[in-house]
Amino acid sequence: MARRKTDKRVDLSAFDQAGANVIDNPLVTEVEDSYLEYAYSVIHSRALPDARDGLKPVHRRILWSMSEQNQRPDRPYVKSARVVGDVMGKYHPHGDVAIYDALVRLAQDFSLNTPLIDGHGNFGSPDDGPAAARYTEARMSREAMLLVGELGEGTVDFKPTYDGSEQEPKVLPAAFPNLLVNGTSGIAVGMATNMIPHNLGEVVAAAKLLIRKPGASLDELMRYVPGPDLPTGGQLLGLDEVRRAYETGRGVVRIRARAETGLLEGGRGRQAITITELPYGIGSEKIIEAITDEVKGKVITSGPRRGQRQPARLTGIADVKDLTDREHGTRLVIECKVGVNPQALLADLYRLTPLESSFGINNLVLVDGQPRTLGLKAMLEVFVQHRYDVVTRRTLYRRTKREDRLHLVDGLLIALIDIDRVVALIRASDDAAAAKTGLMTEFGLSDIQASYILDTPLRRLTRFDRIELETEQERLRGEIAELSRILDDEAVLKKVVSDELAAVTKEFGARRRTTLIDGDLKEVLAASVPAGPLEVADDPCQVILSASGLIARTAAESEESTEATSRSGRTKHDAVRAIIHSTARGRILLVTNLGRAFKTDVLTLPVLPDQSGTVSLRGGMSASEVVPLNKGEKVVGMAPLTNGESPGIALGTKQGIVKVCAPEWPVRSDEFEVITLKDGDEVLQATWLTDGAESLVFVTSDASLLRFPAKLVRPQGLKGGGMAGVNLSGDSEVISFNVVSTSDDQHGVPMVVTSTGTQVKVSPFASYPAKGRATGGVRVQRFLKGETRLTVAWVGPRPVGASETGDPVELPEPDARRDGSGNAVIMGPQIIGHLIERD
């Protein structure tokens, strides 16, 4: 059934007969007028900041209220709820939640470069909101006093509050460019503002340039303000877009977190990405949530596949930990999986998470009550002109105050000249009015001067007070003259404004937090994408351990990378202790002098630079950074992490013990012992055996060398303590243990190098006969007068010498005599090894 239409028209005749004033206004006109009034109210009274002090009305009212209530930096904190209540009751006719939110933002050091509220309590974080107003406390900060400090000197105009019961300033004096320094944001009707923070010192420097040179170009100003400076630091990409925003007042800049790649602390050599600075307005919890979504695959919330998960994209992440605290600041640790290139993973994180975000700049502000979009120069010009007006009005106020005081002082001095007549006149007068009239007639005083004299106690009319008054009179005249110079000379006015701005920078200036990356944004983003895949290919490589304790790997084995560094071994730290073959994603075993072994990933080791076929271990990493070593512990050997493909690892100790440890490594443990040592003993060298046909060589401190076949040593398990390797006489000890292959023609003839500290001897290994295990060996060097022991020895091909600091030491030519005394060498070698050789 169709519904019957009803007539909605209202008969207004009854209202007319009652004498009411009824205006017949079209609905369209009424709505338009009401909407315009609403829009005007939002724009002027709520959403947009004034270009002069950079504050929206609610912020200005908060600071004014706190100033009036004397909640200053040198006073105790007060409850935030008290501040909110005073602002809402007197000045801001809106909700307490909105007022408290505005107060909280003024206290957050991650939102503002110079917070205007000194907050006590939980004022929130980029991820979490603040505690309730009844739990937090607040007072004005020292920087806020620069905004309100001149209010009592007639510097700005006041207006009635919303109910007409109070007065409030239309704008604050603002002794620094708060609009640029702290930025702001707001949404009005049909328009919005979004301004980015800047460094206080840089903005003030640009303002001072504009004072000196009003016609300065934008490029000249940008020498002082090269770009935004965010309270959270980070990196800002593409300064071309920044310049566009400074020129037009609109633009989009890209902000990127600051990240470091390296070894995970306590992670046994695993790679990690550590985030130390986040983009502006982004919290660590938001980052973790985005990473989790990408790792697991986001749930699709719309479209035909709604409710399903998209494929996971950040597959190279093993774990994410938020270690942020007050002491160390932001610290977000992203642990990489084994085999993942951290630089490539970081590029994916920038692309897929808020670790890189955009900030849309829209410098929409109120200028003379009208919304305008301003560039950098225009904003500085508005502020500088505001400071001219403030200083001029302040100077007029101060001069008037001093002129009024001088007028009173002049009157007192006139009265003191003839004080007896003044007293007599006052005593003879019938009342105060007659006395005032008599003083004005008799001494030519003004009404104000006569009233002041009558109100002055007689105790002040002494000779001493006259001296004080004359001194004050001279001071006041000088101050009035100085203030008049400011008002009469524009150059002096500019200097005052400039000097005051410089004083602000000196007291409150801070270093730049945000790093600026120049260039076009697209080019910068393209250049920042690292070359190479996310996962590293499992290519063959070599792991190298230097005699000084550095460890590294080669990029890959190739025909070009098999060259030795140099025949003289002059590159620092190229005296090599051990080299083993592995793959980029393989694992190796590191053996220490305390008989402990650690499993570690090859991928975590730094890659040696390969330039013109040469290799330098200067790019290596200390072994203590790869595995957790105790004090005095060092890595003395390496082995591939394989089982059953070799006789094992040959170990020799300081007390003459030898052991071949069978390659049966624990599966579930990354740290274990490979030899049981006696008290005071330690492993000198641990070398991986290839086929068991090598010779084992001991050199002792009393210049004895023993060589015997490795097959004479029966392999033992991990718990074995080894067997006697060499007999030691007296207080001698083993100073060198080496594994030598005499059938390896590719690496050259093995040599024996011994040193007493001043004498160094190099002799062919073939000169020393093989003997049985646990015997005494043969003499390797004849001591000269004053020499009692060997300090360094080494046996192997391609020997090189180096000092403990890595400086190369030239070795003498080989001496065929087995028991020769050697040659004198300046700075005798403390480290001996062989040249880097890459097969």
Side-chain angles (χ1 to χ4, degrees):
M1 179 181 287
R3 180 172 296 180
R4 186 177 179 181
K5 294 184 179 181
T6 58
D7 191 353
K8 299 294 185 180
R9 290 177 295 177
V10 178
D11 186 7
L12 301 179
S13 60
F15 293 93
D16 291 336
Q17 293 172 4
N21 185 19
V22 177
I23 300 176
D24 189 3
N25 195 28
L27 179 61
V28 174
T29 305
E30 182 67 26
V31 171
E32 287 179 349
D33 292 345
S34 299
Y35 186 79
L36 285 174
E37 289 181 9
Y38 164 73
Y40 182 85
S41 174
V42 171
I43 291 170
H44 287 265
S45 302
R46 295 177 66 177
L48 298 186
D50 193 292
R52 295 168 291 179
D53 61 5
L55 297 173
K56 295 194 288 187
V58 62
H59 299 135
R60 188 179 303 115
R61 287 164 178 164
I62 288 172
L63 296 179
W64 166 244
S65 175
M66 296 183 76
S67 176
E68 284 293 279
Q69 298 300 318
N70 217 18
Q71 294 155 0
R72 300 176 178 241
D74 57 346
R75 298 300 179 91
Y77 292 96
V78 299
K79 286 288 185 182
S80 299
R82 177 179 171 183
V83 177
V84 172
D86 189 73
V87 173
M88 184 171 57
K90 294 181 179 179
Y91 309 108
H92 199 64
H94 301 284
D96 58 331
V97 174
I99 297 173
Y100 184 55
D101 287 345
L103 184 147
V104 165
R105 186 181 186 276
L106 293 180
Q108 293 174 336
D109 58 2
F110 55 85
S111 296
L112 306 183
N113 274 331
T114 57
L116 304 179
I117 297 293
D118 179 7
H120 183 65
N122 178 15
F123 276 82
S125 69
D127 294 306
D128 300 319
R134 61 184 178 274
Y135 298 122
T136 61
E137 296 178 321
R139 63 185 179 188
M140 298 177 70
S141 68
R142 293 170 57 236
E143 293 87 345
M145 297 305 299
L146 296 174
L147 299 181
V148 302
E150 302 161 308
L151 277 174
E153 297 184 283
T155 51
V156 295
D157 294 330
F158 280 70
K159 65 179 181 179
T161 57
Y162 68 94
D163 61 358
S165 62
E166 302 277 348
Q167 291 282 314
E168 63 175 325
K170 293 182 178 180
V171 68
L172 297 185
F176 70 92
N178 177 63
L179 181 67
L180 281 165
V181 172
N182 283 326
T184 189
S185 62
I187 300 175
V189 178
M191 58 186 69
T193 184
N194 201 33
M195 305 190 65
I196 197 165
H198 291 77
N199 184 270
L200 173 62
E202 294 175 355
V203 173
V204 167
K208 291 174 62 179
L209 172 65
L210 208 56
I211 292 172
R212 296 192 310 270
K213 185 179 179 182
S217 65
L218 177 60
D219 290 330
E220 290 176 310
L221 292 174
M222 287 188 66
R223 294 176 187 172
Y224 298 93
V225 186
D229 185 26
L230 306 172
T232 53
Q235 299 174 317
L236 195 143
L237 313 180
L239 293 188
D240 288 354
E241 189 66 27
V242 172
R243 191 191 187 285
R244 190 174 299 113
Y246 284 168
E247 184 175 9
T248 64
R250 294 178 182 269
V252 179
V253 296
R254 190 69 64 90
I255 307 167
R256 175 180 286 182
R258 190 183 302 278
E260 302 171 356
T261 59
L263 291 178
L264 178 67
E265 186 176 350
R268 301 288 180 84
R270 302 194 72 174
Q271 294 281 349
I273 300 170
T274 303
I275 310 298
T276 57
E277 295 176 3
L278 293 173
Y280 184 53
I282 303 297
S284 55
E285 289 185 10
K286 188 180 294 185
I287 300 296
I288 294 174
E289 181 182 356
I291 291 175
T292 303
D293 289 343
E294 293 295 340
V295 170
K296 295 181 179 179
K298 290 182 180 179
V299 176
I300 300 174
T301 57
S302 62
R305 298 178 60 196
R306 181 177 179 180
Q308 297 183 6
R309 287 187 175 273
Q310 68 177 19
R313 295 192 283 186
L314 292 177
T315 57
I317 295 177
D319 193 13
V320 182
K321 297 177 182 178
D322 188 3
L323 305 180
T324 302
D325 56 31
R326 291 184 181 273
E327 182 179 356
H328 301 96
T330 301
R331 185 173 172 80
L332 188 63
V333 180
I334 302 171
E335 184 178 342
C336 305
K337 290 182 179 179
V338 175
V340 170
N341 179 0
Q343 293 295 339
L345 177 58
L346 180 59
D348 286 343
L349 286 168
Y350 285 143
R351 180 172 55 88
L352 300 173
T353 72
L355 284 176
E356 184 175 297
S357 59
S358 298
F359 187 99
I361 298 176
N362 186 17
N363 298 333
L364 182 66
V365 293
L366 293 177
V367 181
D368 296 329
Q370 300 297 319
R372 289 178 53 192
T373 302
L374 303 182
L376 175 65
K377 182 176 181 180
M379 286 189 288
L380 288 171
E381 287 174 338
V382 171
F383 169 76
V384 169
Q385 185 58 52
H386 177 55
R387 285 307 297 170
Y388 289 158
D389 296 339
V390 167
V391 173
T392 299
R393 294 180 63 163
R394 184 190 69 194
T395 304
L396 279 170
Y397 178 87
R398 292 177 178 178
R399 187 176 71 172
T400 301
K401 284 290 184 180
R402 283 157 177 76
E403 287 174 343
D404 292 344
R405 177 59 186 169
L406 180 60
H407 186 60
L408 297 177
V409 171
D410 290 340
L412 280 177
L413 287 173
I414 291 173
L416 284 175
I417 293 174
D418 201 350
I419 188 61
D420 294 335
R421 286 178 59 201
V422 171
V423 173
L425 188 151
I426 294 173
R427 292 184 63 186
S429 301
D430 294 333
D431 52 28
K436 182 168 70 172
T437 303
L439 289 174
M440 295 170 61
T441 304
E442 186 71 20
F443 296 97
L445 300 174
S446 67
D447 183 272
I448 295 175
Q449 288 173 325
S451 298
Y452 186 70
I453 291 172
L454 289 174
D455 294 336
T456 302
L458 287 174
R459 65 175 178 270
R460 291 205 55 191
L461 305 179
T462 64
R463 179 176 177 274
F464 181 74
D465 280 320
R466 179 178 177 179
I467 296 174
E468 284 187 344
L469 289 171
E470 289 176 344
T471 302
E472 183 181 4
Q473 184 186 51
E474 291 301 318
R475 178 177 59 79
L476 290 171
R477 287 174 177 170
E479 291 176 354
I480 291 171
E482 185 64 29
L483 293 171
S484 297
R485 287 182 62 243
I486 298 174
L487 297 172
D488 298 338
D489 192 337
E490 184 180 357
V492 178
L493 173 64
K494 289 183 176 182
K495 185 178 187 307
V496 170
V497 173
S498 180
D499 291 345
E500 290 179 354
L501 287 173
V504 171
T505 300
K506 184 177 181 181
E507 184 174 2
F508 297 102
R511 64 175 182 82
R512 164 171 280 277
R513 300 180 179 97
T514 301
T515 302
L516 303 176
I517 300 178
D518 198 1
D520 179 75
L521 181 58
K522 292 183 179 179
E523 295 178 358
V524 171
L525 292 176
S528 64
V529 176
L534 175 63
E535 295 190 1
V536 177
D538 198 20
D539 294 327
C541 66
Q542 290 179 325
V543 181
I544 305 171
L545 175 67
S546 79
S548 59
L550 297 180
I551 188 169
R553 67 180 173 94
T554 60
E557 294 181 351
S558 63
E559 190 71 26
E560 291 79 9
S561 64
T562 58
E563 296 295 328
T565 299
S566 64
R567 276 296 176 187
S568 62
R570 288 188 177 276
T571 303
K572 281 191 176 184
H573 300 306
D574 279 354
V576 175
R577 180 187 285 270
I579 297 178
I580 59 171
H581 298 267
S582 184
T583 61
R585 297 179 63 176
R587 304 193 80 193
I588 60 171
L589 203 66
L590 301 182
V591 182
T592 75
N593 61 325
L594 300 185
R596 296 200 298 165
F598 297 90
K599 297 176 184 177
T600 188
D601 298 316
V602 174
L603 187 64
T604 63
L605 304 177
V607 180
L608 292 177
D610 191 355
Q611 300 175 351
S612 303
T614 66
V615 177
S616 172
L617 267 172
R618 301 174 88 176
M621 176 189 297
S622 173
S624 61
E625 299 180 59
V626 181
V627 293
L629 301 179
N630 297 325
K631 186 177 181 180
E633 190 175 15
K634 59 184 178 180
V635 174
V636 295
M638 302 184 299
L641 198 59
T642 57
N643 289 308
E645 298 180 5
S646 162
I649 302 177
L651 302 100
T653 76
K654 184 185 293 187
Q655 295 181 2
I657 300 299
V658 65
K659 177 183 179 181
V660 174
C661 185
E664 299 173 355
W665 320 126
V667 177
R668 298 183 178 180
S669 178
D670 286 346
E671 176 185 336
F672 50 89
E673 290 187 355
V674 292
I675 185 174
T676 301
L677 296 172
K678 298 179 180 179
D679 291 342
D681 200 5
E682 65 175 296
V683 178
L684 295 177
Q685 179 77 18
T687 304
W688 181 249
L689 299 175
T690 56
D691 54 11
E694 296 92 343
S695 295
L696 306 184
V697 185
F698 284 95
V699 180
T700 65
S701 59
D702 59 353
S704 177
L705 182 148
L706 173 65
R707 59 176 285 194
F708 57 87
K711 62 184 178 180
L712 297 181
V713 182
R714 175 176 53 84
Q716 296 179 327
L718 296 177
K719 301 297 183 181
M723 57 188 68
V726 60
N727 286 341
L728 299 176
S729 60
D731 61 350
S732 64
E733 61 184 12
V734 177
I735 61 171
S736 174
F737 172 77
N738 295 97
V739 176
V740 179
S741 177
T742 55
S743 61
D744 187 2
D745 298 333
Q746 182 178 358
H747 294 132
V749 178
M751 307 297 290
V752 178
V753 183
T754 54
S755 172
T756 62
T758 56
Q759 299 290 118
V760 178
K761 175 174 171 287
V762 179
S763 53
F765 179 63
S767 301
Y768 301 89
K771 299 181 68 175
R773 181 182 60 81
T775 58
V778 298
R779 187 164 68 176
V780 71
Q781 181 160 337
R782 178 168 55 85
F783 291 136
L784 298 178
K785 184 177 180 180
E787 296 177 339
T788 58
R789 58 181 285 135
L790 293 178
T791 57
V792 178
W794 184 84
V795 183
R798 298 178 181 174
V800 293
S803 68
E804 290 180 341
T805 59
D807 296 318
V809 175
E810 289 286 350
L811 299 179
E813 292 297 321
D815 186 350
R817 295 175 299 170
R818 192 173 65 188
D819 62 346
S821 58
N823 300 88
V825 174
I826 299 176
M827 217 170 65
Q830 288 83 40
I831 299 172
I832 296 181
H834 57 88
L835 287 172
I836 292 180
E837 47 192 73
R838 299 163 67 178
D839 306 324

